Structure formats: structure tokens, C-alpha cells
Amino acid sequence: QVQLVESGGGLVQAGDSLQLSCAVFGGTFSSLTTVGWFRQPPGKDREFVGAIRWRDGGASYGDFVKGRFTISRDGAKNTAYLQMNSLTPADTAVYSCASVKSMSGALPTSSLEYRRWGQGTQVTVSP
């Protein structure tokens, strides 16, 4: 069974950086795959962080990112990454990755369009 597994979360201080990983087990990310990152702050709805198109690395980001986050991928490791810089307490959330296959290469921003999800990893940013 194919599974997505996130790692890299933890407790950091404001201004710090953190890199999250999303690895696939029991399968691979094909050239048709888009990997998305979402987050859910405490007591709030899930929101789109960004997404990357596996075949060419094209990416898009949520408005709140403002250049602080970067999504990348390593095809050899079948792993996507979310590099987060200049973290603030407002970035505290459970971060999840998700994947979907698309012929169009679209970068969906809605969680409803993704088919496979990881379990999430907690990121806590202290003041």
C-alpha cells in the first residue's frame, strides 16, 4: 500500500528555519504527480501552503507564504521538501503533504483535489 510519510516537524523559535520532508513508501512519485503541502493551525481550517509538479518542479504557493517557504523535490529519493524560513508563531500548525496524479500538470490549491495524504507533522513556533 502506498503511503506518504511526513517528517521534520518540531518546536522552534520565531525566526528559525525548518525543513519538512514528504516521502512515499510502497510506490513512487510519477511524472504525473503533484505533491501539495497543507497546514491546519489550532482551531482553524486547513489551508494551502504550496504544491509542486513532479515532472518539472514547477511550484505555486499560498498567499501567506510571501517568499518565506520553498517546495522542492528529489526524484531519486521520492521525497518532496518544504523549506520554511523566518517562521513566526502564526506558522504553528499540523503540516501535511498530499498527492494527486494529473495529466494536465495542474497545481491544485483545494485539499479536495488530492487523493493520498500523509499523517501530518506538528510544527510549533514559540515567540
Side-chain angles (χ1 to χ4, degrees):
Q1 184 176 357
V2 179
Q3 291 184 318
L4 303 184
V5 179
E6 303 95 337
S7 60
L11 173 63
V12 297
Q13 293 185 327
D16 286 351
S17 298
L18 201 62
Q19 185 182 68
L20 306 182
S21 300
C22 172
V24 60
F25 293 90
T28 61
F29 288 136
S30 76
S31 61
L32 296 179
T33 301
T34 292
V35 175
W37 284 96
F38 290 82
R39 71 181 189 181
Q40 187 163 20
K44 296 184 179 181
D45 293 334
R46 179 182 286 167
E47 62 181 344
F48 174 73
V49 177
I52 188 166
R53 189 168 43 239
W54 207 256
R55 67 183 184 217
D56 62 6
S60 68
Y61 299 91
D63 291 341
F64 73 89
V65 170
K66 299 185 187 302
R68 298 183 300 130
F69 297 178
T70 302
I71 298 175
S72 61
R73 88 265 194 249
D74 185 329
K77 296 182 178 179
N78 275 291
T79 300
Y81 302 95
L82 174 63
Q83 175 67 41
M84 303 185 292
N85 299 326
S86 302
L87 287 164
T88 74
D91 295 314
T92 294
V94 175
Y95 286 73
S96 300
C97 67
S99 68
V100 63
K101 290 185 178 180
S102 169
M103 291 291 293
S104 70
L107 297 168
T109 60
S110 170
S111 62
L112 297 176
E113 298 195 47
Y114 289 83
R115 294 293 174 262
R116 183 167 283 116
W117 288 80
Q119 81 288 353
T121 185
Q122 176 70 46
V123 172
T124 302
V125 185
S126 64

